[in-house]
Amino acid sequence: VQLQASGGGLVQPGGSLRLSCAASGSIFSINAMSWYRQAPGKQRELVAAINSGESTNYADSVLGRFTIARDNAKKTVVLQMNNLKPEDTAVYYCNADVRTGGGKWTSSWGQGTQVTVSS
């Protein structure tokens, strides 16, 4: 199972970015899909998550600014980030709880994409 993340970049405060993550490989089903981030010198933290029933959960720091959504047919998850702040600067990672074609559950990570918010 592989997760490929894209969409990071440099944006000014108040701007927007859209991150995407696509899962591929031997996938039978996907349960939760999530975005985490890790800023320099800090621990990785959960930003947003969406389960198979499309219930969502957000970190307090991004509530009202970020929106997570998924497309089960395409096996993708996106994170729309609006009104970005300098403190949102971090490497963003996607994560998915995947049941493989062999029946095993695995937690898979994407490679990370850099988001920098700066004027």
Side-chain angles (χ1 to χ4, degrees):
V1 177
Q2 292 184 328
L3 298 182
Q4 182 67 43
S6 61
L10 172 64
V11 65
Q12 292 186 342
S16 298
L17 282 175
R18 184 179 178 88
L19 305 183
S20 297
C21 179
S24 62
S26 178
I27 297 171
F28 178 77
S29 63
I30 302 176
N31 191 7
M33 304 185 82
S34 310
W35 287 95
Y36 288 75
R37 67 186 180 188
Q38 187 166 19
K42 295 187 177 181
Q43 289 188 333
R44 190 173 295 189
E45 63 174 356
L46 176 67
V47 176
I50 184 168
N51 66 17
S52 58
E54 304 204 8
S55 293
T56 58
N57 182 42
Y58 295 93
D60 289 344
S61 59
V62 306
L63 197 60
R65 300 188 296 123
F66 291 10
T67 302
I68 189 170
R70 63 190 285 168
D71 185 324
N72 292 323
K74 296 181 179 179
K75 300 182 180 63
T76 58
V77 61
V78 297
L79 184 69
Q80 178 66 41
M81 304 184 295
N82 298 328
N83 190 22
L84 283 159
K85 303 176 180 180
E87 51 264 41
D88 295 318
T89 296
V91 178
Y92 284 70
Y93 299 89
C94 58
N95 174 271
D97 292 331
V98 175
R99 187 178 182 183
T100 68
K104 294 183 178 180
W105 283 97
T106 182
S107 180
S108 298
W109 291 90
Q111 82 280 17
T113 183
Q114 176 71 46
V115 171
T116 302
V117 185
S118 175
S119 55

